[in-house]
Amino acid sequence: MMRHLLMRTVLVSVAMVLASMIGWWAIPVAGAVFGALTYRDSAGPVVAGFGAIIAWSGLLMYDAIRGPVSNVAATVGAVLQTKPIAVYLLTLAFAGLLGICSALVSRTFARFFARVRERGAESTEA
Amino acid sequence: MSRRLGPSPVTIVLAAAVLTGTLYVGARPVGGAPAFGPLLDPVHGVWALARTATPPADATVQIPSLADLVEVRFDDRGVPHIFATSLTDAARAMGYVHARDRLFQMELQARAVAGTVAELVGDRAVAVDREARAQGLAAFARRGYEALGPQSAGRTLTEAYAQGVNAYIDAMTDDDIPFEFRLLGARPQRWEPVYTAYLFARMGLTLAYSEGELRRGAIEALVGRDAADALFPRDNPIQEPIQPNGQHAARMDFRKVPPPAQPDSGKLKIAMSLLESARTLAGAANEAQLDDVAVGSNNWAVSPRRTAAGKALLAGDPHLALTLPSIWYQAQIVVPDTLDVYGVTIPGAPIPPIGFNRDVAWSETNTGADVADYFVETVDDSTHPTRYQVDGAWRALTYRVEAIRGKGGRVISTDTIRESHRGSMLHAGGQWISRRWTINDGDDITGPFLGAARSKSVKELWEATNGFFAPAQNFVSADRGGHIAIRSTGHFPIRGRGAVRGDLLLDGSKSASDWQGWWKLAEYPQAYDPPQGFVVSANQQPKDPRVDPRYIGWDWPSPWRAIRINEMLRADSAITPDAMRRIQTTPVSAQTKYFLPMMVEADATGRDSSFSNASRLLRDWDGTFDADNRAAVLYETTLAELAARTWDELRAGGTAGEPLPRRVDTPQNVVLLQLMQDPTNPWWDDQRTPDVRERRDDIIRASVLAAYRTLVQRLGQPGDMWRWGLNRRASVRHLGGIAALGRPNVPVTGGPGSVSPSSGDGNHGASWRMVVELGDEVRGWGVYPGGQSGNPISPRYTDLLDKWSAGTLDSLPFPRTAADLPTAKTSSRLLLKKAP
């Protein structure tokens, strides 16, 4: 079970990294797709949220290898009148919220349509 | 069943709401914050700037317009050394590297002239745009640019330069978008060649804009013409002119200051209305900027016979607003057998205005001549005029309708700008005033700077800059042949019979008031290898009126900097490059020895203990403005108090609720010093005490006491908190006004009247310090307050600031070929190739 969860988290993180290459807006799209695909899994939205956070953390680490990410945090923090650490947290929270909320909403729709399908099938059988 | 459905409806609604909210703040700016999505995205957002903050060690790019290969080597300070085979390719490369390092600065400055800032930043910039449109700088610059010949440097080089800028913009990825554009949610626009002309027009506005006539009109209405003439004299009471006059010390030409006459309330109302309108245009409507704020530029050159190494030396020290990124960008441009120059360029223009080549070094200060006159026009309709009268005949006014747009291009407002043959018109106080200004004539600025950069001797440099138009500059130069020279170069108007004095409002109804032509070159203030062995300019009056009494201007800054530099050069007959550097940052002010004794001795009774404490501090002071000094702050505060108490008759206007009306203008402290020679002059009388007639020493004593008490209240008893370094700081602001991207509180030495003056809000200062030795191999040193990169994330955004603050200079590498720049000194290499 745990291994299964871990695998899905890794997979969704990779998907989120790829989505980020398109643009930030692809994160909620990926989250929604994941939420819809895993609508039977109650942990799906959380996995999507964590996946987004892990993906952006990884991308930030990649940026950090390539240049002075701390300068970015300090400068953006100064502009937004907040501490640099808050800029990191804000970035990750933004990704996490997009991932979890989009997955949650899409899962609800997916379940709704699944139920409609199930009921349709049941009435056909009846 | 409901359990099978998962989260409750409340959770789902909440999630939908949070998702909607997150998407909204992700896509749209909210409040003052930019849209979070494109900002925080770690791939394409602001974090990407970390990846581009340091350029790659080796890069190759293709530029379609390039004729041949160009190699650019960046040294360890991020300064590009451009090696090209033609001038136009060099200009393309310059445009490319400027765009790479300073794109936001370039666009903002061009927009500031064009009056399109609101399109970039939104409605809050409408007032700025309206001012720019009313000034008409862009319209005049465009006319001037379009009149240039197709083969002129102003055309060919700026067109090539624009190609370089646009090559960078076209190839730019999302990752490369500068930080400020990200905050604004905007993308850079393409660069037009005419924008270079805009930038020079902008420089003209900074250096040559003057509403002096209008200020003087208000002063005259307040205190009468005789007193106004004495307070704001045409000729400075202390003469240490740019063109040497054979003296061995500054000459005091002190005269008696006539008492103030009764105000003429009718004239005053009109004059104040005009002045307020003009100040709104200049964006200078606060008293701090009207005080005798010690700003200014310096340059000087020393003949080989007065230097330790027997080589000519030159120092350049232009003072301007301190901004991040800096107004300057260092670069070397090498085109074999054509050009080999190192200097500071203005991002937006291809050729450095200040610098040195293998034979000559040069630098400029602002001449500050009166090159703008105001004419009161006679119009056919006081509210919506269509015609104006000259010599009894009606002429049609021309119109320009200016539409100011906001983000997205929607029109926010429209203004109608009227023009007479003299220039744009201003409507205030029931009068229509037109302004004739040399800046509006527009001309090729690139050509003279290119000529200077290619010159092989001081004589050639003079020849090359003969056509330099505006704003008039004091070009100091020195060459490897051991010659030194200075010339105030630019177009100085010859005024007509009806307008001998340019410091007064002129009658526009007579053509005799118009300018009749320009001074001849031989009449310009100048000196070539003068016997004294050095030449100095510090914005002081260029010619001694005893040598040439003709009117060239009147608003000359106090000559303290010039006096101090001349003193130091006279005292040293074996000057070294380091001595030149030390002069640039000397903490001594020439003015203190005149004012200080009177401050110390103002209370003969010695009964007041506060005064005794203050007097003791001032008496023990060595007159220097270095960081640890504890009396300098008392001196400066006393001087400000003294000006406020002495010139109380010059207060007028103001708005309800202010404790005192604002001072219309403040005479320079040389005029104050002149007044100090006359202890019973009526100007010393304090207007607030009608029953008492104060004398000089009463006012000085009151000023010392008030300054001391103010400081004790603010800083406590004299001690560590009184240190000059804690009280006087430079403030280097972000060009776009983003406070977090500026650097406030930079320690500086220097104070009022010192060579590197610091006063007011600390936002002005030495924008580039340079020393050049013209030996067999030319050597240069320099620094400016900032760094080469305009990217706030880059380590090169402010890496020169500490050196500037400490008063040290970098040695400037000046390789002849790309291979001559040592590997250890090379930070990166950029190859520009012609696109197939």
Side-chain angles (χ1 to χ4, degrees):
Chain A
M1 179 67 185
M2 194 62 190
R3 195 176 158 196
H4 181 63
L5 194 67
L6 209 65
M7 278 296 290
R8 275 190 302 161
T9 307
V10 170
L11 271 176
V12 81
S13 301
V14 171
M16 292 289 188
V17 167
L18 295 175
S20 300
M21 299 298 160
I22 304 169
W24 68 273
W25 51 267
I27 292 290
V29 173
V33 170
F34 184 77
L37 290 176
T38 59
Y39 71 93
R40 289 177 197 281
D41 180 0
S42 60
V46 177
V47 170
F50 267 111
I53 289 172
I54 291 167
W56 278 29
S57 300
L59 290 168
L60 284 181
M61 278 190 256
Y62 174 73
D63 287 338
I65 294 167
R66 302 276 304 275
V69 155
S70 57
N71 283 6
V72 178
T75 307
V76 176
V79 171
L80 299 178
Q81 298 180 331
T82 184
K83 292 185 174 171
I85 185 73
V87 181
Y88 292 108
L89 295 177
L90 186 65
T91 301
L92 300 181
F94 181 68
L97 277 175
L98 288 174
I100 196 168
C101 294
S102 58
L104 199 58
V105 171
S106 74
R107 188 182 72 161
T108 305
F109 281 109
R111 284 191 172 184
F112 172 76
F113 287 119
R115 281 195 61 206
V116 169
R117 270 202 312 273
E118 282 169 18
R119 281 184 184 162
E122 282 168 11
S123 57
T124 309
E125 283 169 17
Chain B
M1 190 67 187
S2 63
R3 189 173 287 274
R4 205 171 70 84
L5 285 173
S8 68
V10 174
T11 309
I12 292 163
V13 169
L14 204 63
V18 172
L19 178 62
T20 308
T22 312
L23 286 171
Y24 187 80
V25 298
R28 308 267 310 171
V30 177
F36 279 174
L39 185 77
L40 300 177
D41 179 345
V43 180
H44 308 293
V46 72
W47 298 103
L49 289 172
R51 301 196 297 269
T52 56
T54 307
D58 231 321
T60 302
V61 295
Q62 295 188 328
I63 297 183
S65 52
L66 215 58
D68 204 349
L69 181 78
V70 179
E71 180 169 358
V72 185
R73 294 220 177 180
F74 292 85
D75 68 24
D76 54 357
R77 295 162 309 128
V79 175
H81 301 261
I82 296 169
F83 300 90
T85 56
S86 69
L87 277 175
T88 44
D89 272 358
R92 288 179 188 106
M94 194 74 253
Y96 188 91
V97 296
H98 271 164
R100 196 194 72 171
D101 285 344
R102 299 288 187 87
L103 193 54
F104 177 75
Q105 174 183 20
M106 291 164 66
E107 178 159 338
L108 186 68
Q109 289 179 334
R111 283 184 177 278
V113 176
T116 58
V117 181
E119 292 174 28
L120 181 68
V121 308
D123 294 8
R124 64 181 183 270
V126 169
V128 174
D129 283 349
R130 182 168 283 144
E131 288 164 24
R133 305 291 182 104
Q135 294 278 8
L137 285 177
F140 289 114
R142 187 173 283 277
R143 278 179 222 169
Y145 178 79
E146 285 167 357
L148 293 178
Q151 297 306 315
S152 66
R155 276 273 186 171
T156 55
L157 293 192
T158 52
E159 281 171 6
Y161 178 85
Q163 288 165 352
V165 175
N166 289 327
Y168 178 80
I169 292 172
D170 293 344
M172 199 167 65
T173 66
D174 284 353
D175 297 5
D176 302 318
I177 293 175
F179 184 76
E180 293 91 340
F181 284 107
R182 292 171 189 273
L183 292 182
L184 296 166
R187 287 190 73 94
Q189 64 175 0
R190 281 175 68 79
W191 185 264
E192 290 183 34
V194 73
Y195 291 168
T196 300
Y198 284 10
L199 296 186
F200 286 122
R202 178 80 186 170
M203 188 62 93
L205 179 76
T206 304
L207 297 176
Y209 181 81
S210 171
E211 27 57 338
E213 285 90 335
L214 307 181
R215 263 185 290 142
R216 208 195 165 290
I219 293 289
E220 195 175 307
L222 258 177
V223 297
R225 177 166 288 192
D226 289 347
D229 281 348
L231 298 186
F232 298 94
R234 203 180 97 163
D235 298 320
N236 206 289
I238 302 181
Q239 282 297 321
E240 181 78 277
I242 290 172
Q243 178 176 301
N245 58 1
Q247 291 173 185
H248 299 293
R251 189 183 74 240
M252 309 287 171
D253 280 347
F254 289 158
R255 286 178 286 270
K256 190 172 174 62
V257 180
Q262 284 301 309
D264 180 332
S265 55
K267 271 189 183 172
L268 185 60
K269 197 175 167 190
I270 294 170
M272 289 304 292
S273 174
L274 277 171
L275 187 58
E276 288 305 319
S277 301
R279 280 180 179 167
T280 305
L281 278 185
N286 70 69
E287 189 167 317
Q289 286 172 281
L290 303 173
D291 281 338
D292 188 16
V293 176
V295 296
S297 306
N298 315 297
N299 61 15
W300 63 94
V302 184
S303 162
R305 63 192 159 82
R306 294 189 66 86
T307 64
K311 312 291 182 194
L313 289 170
L314 178 138
D317 186 22
H319 287 228
L320 290 163
L322 303 177
T323 60
L324 282 173
S326 165
I327 186 168
W328 302 113
Y329 180 89
Q330 295 181 59
Q332 182 189 359
I333 307 170
V334 182
V335 179
D337 303 322
T338 307
L339 181 70
D340 189 352
V341 61
Y342 188 109
V344 279
T345 59
I346 299 172
I351 301 293
I354 294 173
F356 56 90
N357 60 29
R358 299 280 165 201
D359 299 292
V360 182
W362 70 98
S363 184
E364 297 100 62
T365 63
N366 192 34
T367 305
D370 184 359
V371 292
D373 280 349
Y374 291 83
F375 299 79
V376 182
E377 304 290 1
T378 304
V379 293
D380 60 349
D381 185 310
S382 62
T383 50
H384 298 97
T386 57
R387 296 181 301 162
Y388 66 112
Q389 202 173 49
V390 182
D391 296 335
W394 289 102
R395 296 187 187 185
L397 290 167
T398 58
Y399 294 83
R400 209 172 61 236
V401 177
E402 299 281 3
I404 295 162
R405 297 171 189 276
K407 275 192 164 182
R410 75 195 155 81
V411 174
I412 299 172
S413 76
T414 53
D415 287 336
T416 301
I417 311 295
R418 292 172 172 81
E419 277 181 36
S420 74
H421 70 285
R422 296 169 177 124
S424 300
M425 293 175 80
L426 179 72
H427 185 216
Q431 291 183 311
W432 286 89
I433 310 280
S434 62
R435 186 183 61 201
R436 174 84 172 92
W437 191 23
T438 54
I439 301 296
N440 290 351
D441 290 2
D443 203 37
D444 185 2
I445 301 285
T446 307
F449 284 142
L450 176 65
R454 296 175 67 174
S455 58
K456 301 217 173 287
S457 67
V458 162
K459 282 280 187 196
E460 277 190 30
L461 186 133
W462 272 19
E463 198 64 34
T465 54
N466 279 345
F468 185 84
F469 201 85
Q473 297 291 296
N474 304 313
F475 279 82
V476 74
S477 51
D479 66 26
R480 226 152 47 84
H483 301 288
I484 60 167
I486 195 161
R487 187 174 72 177
S488 305
T489 305
H491 278 36
F492 306 110
I494 297 172
R495 292 173 167 86
R497 294 186 311 281
V500 177
R501 284 178 62 169
D503 57 339
L504 303 176
L505 282 176
L506 305 173
D507 181 358
S509 70
K510 294 174 185 159
S511 60
S513 303
D514 278 323
W515 293 355
Q516 309 294 316
W518 309 108
W519 284 32
K520 292 176 187 155
L521 283 166
E523 297 169 333
Y524 288 7
Q526 56 194 282
Y528 182 84
D529 283 340
Q532 65 182 25
F534 57 88
V535 287
V536 177
S537 87
N539 313 108
Q540 77 272 37
Q541 187 167 354
K543 270 190 185 180
D544 186 337
R546 289 188 190 172
V547 173
D548 185 352
R550 277 182 308 166
Y551 179 81
I552 185 172
W554 63 282
D555 205 5
W556 314 113
S558 291
W560 305 118
R561 287 177 289 117
I563 291 171
R564 180 65 188 152
I565 298 166
N566 275 283
E567 277 175 358
M568 293 181 81
L569 293 177
R570 284 180 185 125
D572 188 350
S573 57
I575 296 168
T576 61
D578 196 52
M580 300 281 272
R581 179 193 65 79
R582 287 199 304 273
I583 293 173
Q584 287 176 332
T585 53
T586 174
V588 177
S589 169
Q591 66 171 240
T592 53
K593 68 181 174 194
Y594 298 102
F595 286 98
L596 207 51
M598 289 196 239
M599 291 180 186
V600 171
E601 292 156 14
D603 185 10
T605 66
R607 282 197 296 261
D608 190 310
S609 64
S610 287
F611 186 86
S612 300
N613 291 339
S615 172
R616 198 176 314 118
L617 265 176
L618 291 171
R619 193 184 309 116
D620 296 343
W621 182 39
D622 60 2
T624 62
F625 292 86
D626 49 22
D628 289 330
N629 210 290
R630 292 164 197 205
V633 66
L634 177 60
Y635 172 81
E636 190 197 32
T637 312
T638 301
L639 214 54
E641 281 284 343
L642 190 55
R645 285 161 193 269
T646 308
W647 307 124
D648 52 351
E649 291 85 351
L650 302 182
R651 291 184 174 274
T655 53
E658 282 184 298
L660 271 175
R662 289 191 296 130
R663 202 155 57 232
V664 176
D665 203 351
T666 304
Q668 289 174 14
N669 62 19
V670 286
V671 176
L672 185 61
L673 184 62
Q674 179 174 251
L675 188 68
M676 285 172 122
Q677 317 307 312
D678 183 4
T680 58
N681 193 299
W683 279 97
W684 293 115
D685 189 26
D686 187 338
Q687 302 292 295
R688 292 169 301 179
T689 56
D691 301 334
V692 185
R693 179 160 177 179
E694 287 83 1
R695 294 172 162 221
R696 177 192 68 190
D697 288 352
D698 300 322
I699 296 298
I700 296 178
R701 185 173 57 246
S703 301
V704 173
L705 269 172
Y708 183 79
R709 285 172 181 155
T710 302
L711 289 172
V712 167
Q713 198 174 20
R714 189 157 56 95
L715 307 172
Q717 290 298 323
D720 273 358
M721 292 303 290
W722 285 48
R723 280 184 295 149
W724 183 246
L726 292 178
N727 289 283
R728 172 57 61 199
R729 299 287 182 108
S731 179
V732 189
R733 292 182 190 156
H734 179 253
L735 193 71
I738 303 171
L741 305 185
R743 295 290 183 274
N745 296 321
V746 180
V748 286
T749 55
S754 65
V755 174
S756 185
S758 173
S759 66
D761 57 8
N763 190 227
H764 277 79
S767 63
W768 164 244
R769 292 192 185 115
M770 175 181 83
V771 173
V772 184
E773 184 183 59
L774 285 302
D776 296 334
E777 281 294 316
V778 175
R779 294 191 298 162
W781 297 265
V783 77
Y784 61 67
Q788 285 289 95
S789 176
N791 177 1
I793 312 303
S794 166
R796 295 203 196 289
Y797 183 60
T798 54
D799 60 340
L800 305 179
L801 196 52
D802 288 344
K803 293 175 192 172
W804 176 83
S805 171
T808 59
L809 303 176
D810 282 328
S811 174
L812 308 175
F814 192 35
R816 288 175 186 273
T817 66
D820 288 347
L821 188 68
T823 312
K825 286 262 180 195
T826 306
S827 64
S828 63
R829 193 172 79 124
L830 175 67
L831 279 181
L832 304 177
K833 284 184 172 171
K834 181 178 168 58

